[in-house]
Amino acid sequence: MPELAEVEFFRKRWSAGHSAKVLTVRLHEGKKVFRGCDTGQIKRGLTGARLVGSETAAKQMLFRFSGSNWLGIHLGMSGELRVEPPDYRATTHDHFILVQKLRQLVFNDPRMFGGVLFHHGKAPPAWWTKIAPAILSPAFTVDAVEAFLRRRARAPIKAVLLMQERFPGVGNWMADEILWRAAIHPKRLAGSLSPAEVRALHRECRKVCRLALDTIAGKGRYLPANLNAHIPRSWLFWHRWEDGGLCPRTKKPLHREEVGGRTTCWSPARQKLIRNM
DNA sequence: CCAATTGTTATTTA
DNA sequence: ATAAATAACAATTG
């Protein structure tokens, strides 16, 4: 499920445990989510450490602990973070639990496409620092987008929007939402977009990120009760999986088809396939 | 049984 | 060599 704003939603949940100490680390080594990391080192590093802060970048979360310990979590396709009471008993697909005095921080992921990363050291780890600059950062310019589309000129724009090295945090529904707002057909080849369309794409990328973060993860300290509680019906989001769904703007039927390897939804009345060199 | 799923990566193809 | 397409990963649901 999780893309940019959902990832921030889950990070914010775990921030309930900020400044509290980890009493026990519960994990089963050998679980796929720990592929490529030393679970013994995680236990040694986090037991007794204090959770001092957290951040998100793209679809990755970073939790900082006292003693130069860094924990990364990626939610994959089906992962989520929860906060449970101190007497909570782990259930199926709970792969990783940080037990604190007043709560348990739980990472649950049925499909196990997600994963855990760990680093002990003074400086932040490479797997964190190498993540592309955020869409909402000053580095995400029209020129940068234009140059990237030129390099991926023969790929459908939908596939290009899913590339994390330029559109960090964008996933399947956000890509469809962005193209729908920018009125660009998902099968348009990246290199065929006019300068005006590139500007529209850039603008809608930023707008969808901003709106998604505010409505899904909540502004400031506020955290919505669930992920979708405040998403307006006017977004494509609610209509993209409905059979017989209608475009919220044109009221005409939506279309679903696989583009760039993912099921893609668009509004044919609004997003036209033209000038596909 | 078949097909589907909001992600990423390795492999194959062009 | 580069980039695009495809397969694979795993679990569950309809």
Side-chain angles (χ1 to χ4, degrees), chain A residues 55-166:
Chain A
E55 304 155 67
T56 59
K59 298 170 190 170
Q60 179 78 40
M61 288 174 282
L62 178 73
F63 295 93
R64 290 182 288 110
F65 291 83
S66 59
S68 303
N69 293 299
W70 314 74
L71 175 73
I73 294 182
H74 194 294
L75 297 170
M77 195 92 103
S78 58
E80 64 171 9
L81 300 188
R82 298 196 314 265
V83 176
E84 300 288 356
D87 60 353
Y88 172 77
R89 300 282 296 271
T91 62
T92 337
H93 313 308
D94 285 348
H95 305 304
F96 184 67
I97 301 181
L98 299 176
V99 181
Q100 297 181 327
K101 187 179 178 190
L102 299 179
R103 67 194 75 75
Q104 297 188 33
L105 306 176
V106 179
F107 169 37
N108 179 287
D109 181 13
R111 286 173 73 182
M112 293 192 285
F113 288 178
V116 172
L117 295 167
F118 184 76
H119 174 72
H120 176 82
K122 197 71 184 164
W127 49 256
W128 178 255
T129 55
K130 75 178 184 201
I131 296 172
I135 288 175
L136 292 172
S137 78
F140 186 79
T141 61
V142 175
D143 284 352
V145 172
E146 202 272 332
F148 191 75
L149 299 198
R150 211 169 336 136
R151 285 209 319 145
R152 307 291 182 166
R154 301 295 301 167
I157 187 63
K158 166 63 185 274
V160 174
L161 274 179
L162 294 174
M163 294 177 180
Q164 299 299 294
E165 70 258 41
R166 180 44 71 196

Side-chain angles (χ1 to χ4, degrees), chain A residues 9 62 119 127 163 181 186 209 226 246:
Chain A
F9 172 89
L62 178 73
H119 174 72
W127 49 256
M163 294 177 180
R181 287 167 187 256
C209 284
N226 68 64
L246 299 181

Side-chain angles (χ1 to χ4, degrees), chain A residues 194-213:
Chain A
S194 70
E197 287 173 325
V198 175
R199 285 195 301 276
L201 186 74
H202 171 264
R203 184 179 65 241
E204 297 307 329
C205 279
R206 297 179 65 102
K207 198 180 292 180
V208 168
C209 284
R210 183 75 270 149
L211 288 173
L213 283 168

Side-chain angles (χ1 to χ4, degrees), chain A residues 158 172-180 236 240 263-265:
Chain A
K158 166 63 185 274
N172 205 27
W173 80 255
M174 285 183 77
D176 285 359
E177 191 80 33
I178 289 163
L179 291 172
W180 173 70
L236 179 64
R240 46 182 281 111
T263 301
T264 297
C265 178

